[in-house]
Amino acid sequence: MECADSSTAEEPEPMSPTGRILEEMGVCIIVVMGLGTPFNLPVFRAGIETELVTRFPRFRSVQVMDGSKDGKPGWVQTKVNMDDHIVVPVLDPVAVVSDPEKTVEDYVASLSTLPMDRCRPLWEFHFLDFPTSEATSTAVLRLHHSIGDAMSIMTLFMASSYSTADPARLPAMPPPPKRTGAIYQRQPRPALSSFGDYLAWVWSYFVLVWHTLVDIMLLAATVLFLSDTRTLFTRADNVGRRKRFVHRSISLDDVKLIKTIMNCTLNDVLVGVTSAALSQYYFRKSGRTNTKRIYLRSFVPVNIRPISSRQTYVTKVETGNQLSSLICPFDVALYSDPLEYVRKANRSMHRKKSSLEVMFTQVVGELLVKYFGVKIGAFIFHRLVTHTTIALSNVIGPAKHITLCGHPIAFMATSIYGQPQALTMHYLNYGSTIRIIMAVDDAQFPDCHQILDDFAESIRLIKDVAALSKLTTTTE
């Protein structure tokens, strides 16, 4: 794992339990950024060195063993040779001219098969200097997930960039979250004016305990034996590990319209649209004509930071991984009413808010790594992921377009590879759009762009029916 001398005088900074598990599993993050101008290597290089390497220790640190009996990994700062971290590949000019989008897509997919050099900090920028339909040039950041999670990386970008509309100003911050804790906290005891109010308050805690116990038992069963029904979304045993990353934008206003009409959250809408799109793809691909519901589950990483670090990113940015997880059900079914997908997602997510599953998963994960070692923690994490069908993650990006290292960013698409699932879904808010990003097994989903088409069609159907239902209700 290490190339640096572990006997260095500098004491290694410990790696978080989650970071150690991700290190053991070899999970990496990919960030594809469409640039609004042609790529300028000297300007971008200077920006990386000034804004990222100089300001954030993880970008100038290597992994070493701390020399203890258990050999725990840690971070030690080192000198960064920028030439080791900037790649400008020479690509087939015929392929670039004939299909620039596919050329970018193929190149990014190839990165998922290349190991990272652990003798230097685990990040690198790749630059593709030719236009596509959405950008003038493309920058791709690849970094090891042990450096940080998606939220910390996105916060780092915001701390290192400027507003595209007004280059003298920092980026517009996203709106503050409705909750300030890492989990959905219980409300304090209200002023009780009647026995009924007191009974309802006490009952809410019984519900919390019951839901938590049920979720703990389901987690244990998932680790031991409980696995989702095998479908075409299940990872095939005979396919390779190469990942293909495809993405498309949908309107944030459309998602907000559905959210408002159905009185739910943005996450509810996105989960519902995911269920609708995958259902359309499944029944078309499988050729089945029945509408039998198939109950599947998704693995959902959850940010456990006590407050939104976005609100303090100007003065403090914390890299690292501060994640827990949920296992959430979703349906593959054909409903006559498209809104039913969002309703079911809303009920499922509301149910999860009355459980301490996130806190339990966090505490148990840290204890497992501390007392039984990272291999046991990674084994259990691997079982949870492989016994569910897909992974879902939603990250809030800048509220307005940003300029990073002297280049305006037209779009961003963040995903991961190294996880055992065949299908991973990410959503990233950026400006007035939400980018849907899929990381799929390249051999198992050769028609992955059809799933993106199903997403576009599903969001259109759900929006139209929601708007019609509102109009009908208003008329009545």
Side-chain angles (χ1 to χ4, degrees):
M1 168 183 150
E2 63 175 309
C3 295
D5 182 5
S6 59
S7 63
T8 177
E10 180 182 348
E11 187 70 19
E13 181 184 351
M15 190 180 297
S16 70
T18 303
R20 292 181 62 190
I21 290 175
L22 294 168
E23 154 65 24
E24 178 71 18
M25 295 183 65
V27 181
C28 294
I29 296 176
I30 289 283
V31 185
V32 180
M33 293 172 281
L35 308 181
T37 60
F39 163 57
N40 187 319
L41 179 58
V43 171
F44 214 117
R45 177 187 174 118
I48 294 171
E49 192 166 13
T50 302
E51 297 293 341
L52 299 181
V53 176
T54 302
R55 295 179 61 188
F56 305 111
R58 285 289 185 275
F59 276 73
R60 58 178 186 272
S61 298
V62 294
Q63 294 179 1
V64 300
M65 305 307 287
D66 62 3
S68 65
K69 180 179 179 181
D70 297 331
K72 298 178 182 179
W75 299 101
V76 170
Q77 295 188 29
T78 187
K79 184 177 180 180
V80 177
N81 181 357
M82 292 296 295
D83 292 334
D84 292 336
H85 299 271
I86 294 179
V87 181
V88 183
V90 178
L91 303 175
D92 181 4
V94 176
V96 170
V97 173
S98 62
D99 195 340
E101 276 77 16
K102 187 174 185 302
T103 302
V104 173
E105 192 179 294
D106 289 343
Y107 181 79
V108 177
S110 71
L111 297 180
S112 68
T113 65
L114 301 177
M116 301 196 77
D117 188 346
R118 296 180 177 275
C119 295
R120 58 197 188 204
L122 298 175
W123 61 270
E124 57 197 27
F125 273 92
H126 299 252
F127 296 101
L128 308 177
D129 194 16
F130 54 85
T132 60
S133 61
E134 293 187 277
T136 305
S137 56
T138 304
V140 183
L141 170 62
R142 180 171 74 139
L143 71 161
H144 202 283
H145 209 317
S146 58
I147 292 178
D149 53 40
M151 179 175 175
S152 65
I153 300 304
M154 200 55 56
T155 305
L156 183 152
F157 281 168
M158 295 179 68
S160 306
S161 60
Y162 295 89
S163 168
T164 299
D166 184 357
R169 300 180 57 185
L170 293 170
M173 289 171 31
K178 292 183 179 180
R179 60 185 175 94
T180 59
I183 62 172
Y184 291 86
Q185 299 173 343
R186 308 303 298 167
Q187 294 297 320
R189 176 174 172 173
L192 304 176
S193 58
S194 68
F195 178 75
D197 290 340
Y198 179 78
L199 186 62
W201 179 69
V202 172
W203 177 251
S204 69
Y205 280 87
F206 278 110
V207 171
L208 175 70
V209 172
W210 172 250
H211 286 169
T212 301
L213 289 175
V214 170
D215 288 338
I216 290 174
M217 288 188 291
L218 288 174
L219 283 170
T222 301
V223 172
L224 294 174
F225 62 87
L226 183 61
S227 183
D228 282 2
T229 302
R230 292 191 68 85
T231 66
L232 56 85
F233 301 117
T234 307
R235 175 179 168 81
D237 296 331
N238 60 341
V239 296
R241 298 299 298 270
R242 172 172 156 136
K243 295 289 184 178
R244 182 166 294 273
F245 306 93
V246 296
H247 45 88
R248 185 173 300 180
S249 287
I250 60 176
S251 169
L252 178 58
D253 288 339
D254 287 349
V255 177
K256 286 182 176 179
L257 175 64
I258 299 170
K259 164 187 171 293
T260 301
I261 293 174
M262 301 195 67
N263 190 28
C264 60
T265 67
L266 289 177
N267 279 338
D268 295 341
V269 176
L270 293 174
V271 173
V273 171
T274 300
S275 181
L278 295 183
S279 296
Q280 295 292 334
Y281 177 83
Y282 173 83
F283 284 102
R284 182 181 65 251
K285 184 80 172 178
S286 65
R288 296 187 179 184
T289 57
N290 62 59
T291 57
K292 179 181 178 181
R293 292 166 61 187
I294 302 174
Y295 296 93
L296 301 174
R297 295 174 300 164
S298 59
F299 181 87
V300 183
V302 179
N303 169 46
I304 58 172
R305 291 169 175 83
I307 62 171
S308 174
S309 62
R310 297 279 171 73
Q311 309 308 311
T312 57
Y313 73 88
V314 174
T315 58
K316 184 179 182 182
V317 175
E318 294 182 356
T319 50
N321 292 275
Q322 299 186 45
L323 297 173
S324 185
S325 61
L326 293 171
I327 294 181
C328 295
F330 74 97
D331 290 343
V332 170
L334 293 179
Y335 295 119
S336 57
D337 181 5
L339 301 185
E340 188 62 21
Y341 295 105
V342 180
R343 294 191 189 103
K344 285 188 172 292
N346 174 253
R347 289 193 290 268
S348 174
M349 299 306 291
H350 183 74
R351 153 72 176 79
K352 287 295 180 178
K353 295 173 187 177
S354 295
S355 171
L356 298 180
E357 179 182 356
V358 170
M359 181 181 295
F360 175 82
T361 306
Q362 173 198 357
V363 172
V364 170
E366 291 178 352
L367 291 176
L368 284 171
V369 173
K370 181 177 180 180
Y371 292 107
F372 297 96
V374 67
K375 290 189 180 297
I376 295 298
F379 172 78
I380 292 177
F381 180 84
H382 188 274
R383 296 278 291 185
L384 286 175
V385 174
T386 54
H387 284 182
T388 55
T389 299
I390 65 172
L392 296 175
S393 178
N394 183 23
V395 178
I396 299 177
K400 301 291 184 181
H401 280 210
I402 63 173
T403 295
L404 180 68
C405 299
H407 292 68
I409 305 298
F411 72 84
M412 290 189 289
T414 304
S415 192
I416 63 172
Y417 70 87
Q419 76 284 11
Q421 288 169 316
L423 175 61
T424 300
M425 305 293 311
H426 283 81
Y427 311 98
L428 175 63
N429 298 46
Y430 181 52
S432 61
T433 65
I434 296 179
R435 179 73 53 162
I436 299 171
I437 311 113
M438 296 194 309
V440 301
D441 190 288
D442 202 9
Q444 190 168 337
F445 293 96
D447 57 350
C448 55
H449 290 277
Q450 291 185 13
I451 306 180
L452 293 179
D453 294 337
D454 290 325
F455 268 93
E457 178 65 12
S458 296
I459 191 71
R460 185 191 66 80
L461 285 173
I462 293 173
K463 183 192 71 172
D464 290 347
V465 174
L468 181 61
S469 67
K470 179 183 179 182
L471 179 63
T472 303
T473 303
T474 303
T475 303
E476 293 176 352

